Amino acid sequence: MSPFVAELVGTALLILLGGGVVANVVLAHTKGNDSGWIVITAGWAMAVTISVYAVGTISGGHLNPAVTLAMLAIGKIGAATAASYVVAQFLGAIIGASLVYLAYLPHWRETKDAAAKLAVFSTGPGIRHTAGNLATEIIGTFVLVLGALALPRPENLDAATGFSTGLGPLLVGFIVFSIGLSLGGPTGYAINPARDLGPRIAHALLPIPGKGSSDWSYAWIPVLGPVIGGVLGALVFRALW
């Protein structure tokens, strides 16, 4: 498997499992309907862990343009690699979201709330406040990238547990879980431009009954915010570690 395909497959798996847990919680007549925010945050954390384990040894398991651009900013990857990864991530996100649509096919018509249907695909603010929403996405992605670089370092893992860096993806999953619980309330914690924009495109294109608007006026925030936060997180890591 090439790194391009790994990023595509890994991101598709991430969105299939992450979007899938949201669908299970918010769509009508599912077995997990109304099971709440803890289920969503835990599901997304496991989705990240599983997806990074699946392709991490091939591509590094970025699965997130904010991570890829952060690695570019500190010289970990080149521009050509970064560009190919970002394309793969957006394609994978659209594929993953389309698979969620198929997996929950009979539930779209039974769900009357258009906002709930959009929530399966993309994030939205609890209170629409441009500066505040942007700040939340910047801070959340800053924590994600800084933590993903700092926590799984071999010296941390060897000193604390005696295990190898194979625990890295699990630690990243815990970071995502923590971000969701602590910082996810204002915006739904996109912290990943592909995770939000790719499925939002799928939402606009798929024949979802009663789907309503794809909320394009908000769509730039979960793209720009994570990019800024990710680059800042990487630069702070390089400066301090």
Side-chain angles (χ1 to χ4, degrees):
M1 185 185 293
S2 71
F4 177 90
V5 173
E7 285 294 304
L8 188 152
V9 170
T11 309
L13 181 60
L14 169 68
I15 302 303
L16 173 60
L17 298 177
V21 73
V22 179
N24 193 25
V25 170
V26 305
L27 296 184
H29 305 303
T30 68
K31 298 297 185 180
N33 181 252
D34 271 342
S35 50
W37 186 247
I38 297 295
V39 172
I40 289 174
T41 53
W44 269 107
M46 287 186 278
V48 170
T49 300
I50 291 165
S51 302
V52 175
Y53 269 124
V55 301
T57 57
I58 302 170
S59 67
H62 293 189
L63 316 182
N64 182 341
V67 172
T68 296
L69 294 176
M71 297 304 100
L72 176 64
I74 60 173
K76 295 287 188 181
I77 58 172
T81 297
S84 70
Y85 276 25
V86 169
V87 170
Q89 290 154 2
F90 277 106
L91 289 175
I94 293 170
I95 292 168
S98 300
L99 292 173
V100 174
Y101 164 74
L102 291 174
Y104 284 87
L105 194 59
H107 295 270
W108 305 105
R109 191 172 300 280
E110 296 299 319
T111 302
K112 305 308 177 185
D113 186 352
K117 296 175 187 179
L118 178 59
V120 174
F121 293 88
S122 57
T123 61
I127 298 173
R128 197 167 292 260
H129 185 284
T130 299
N133 301 152
L134 185 63
T136 296
E137 289 295 331
I138 291 171
I139 293 167
T141 317
F142 175 89
V143 173
L144 170 65
V145 172
L146 182 63
L149 288 169
L151 267 63
R153 290 176 300 142
E155 56 268 39
N156 278 350
L157 293 170
D158 292 341
T161 67
F163 292 109
S164 72
T165 54
L167 284 177
L170 182 61
L171 293 178
V172 174
F174 276 119
I175 294 166
V176 172
F177 193 25
S178 180
I179 291 169
L181 293 175
S182 301
L183 301 171
T187 63
Y189 74 118
I191 59 173
N192 180 340
R195 171 263 176 274
D196 193 274
L197 183 57
R200 197 182 297 268
I201 292 169
H203 176 271
L205 296 177
L206 289 168
I208 302 167
K211 65 182 176 181
S213 167
S214 299
D215 196 10
W216 292 109
S217 64
Y218 180 78
W220 66 274
I221 290 176
V223 172
L224 181 61
V227 169
I228 295 171
V231 170
L232 288 175
L235 292 175
V236 168
F237 173 80
R238 187 177 65 177
L240 297 181
W241 271 265

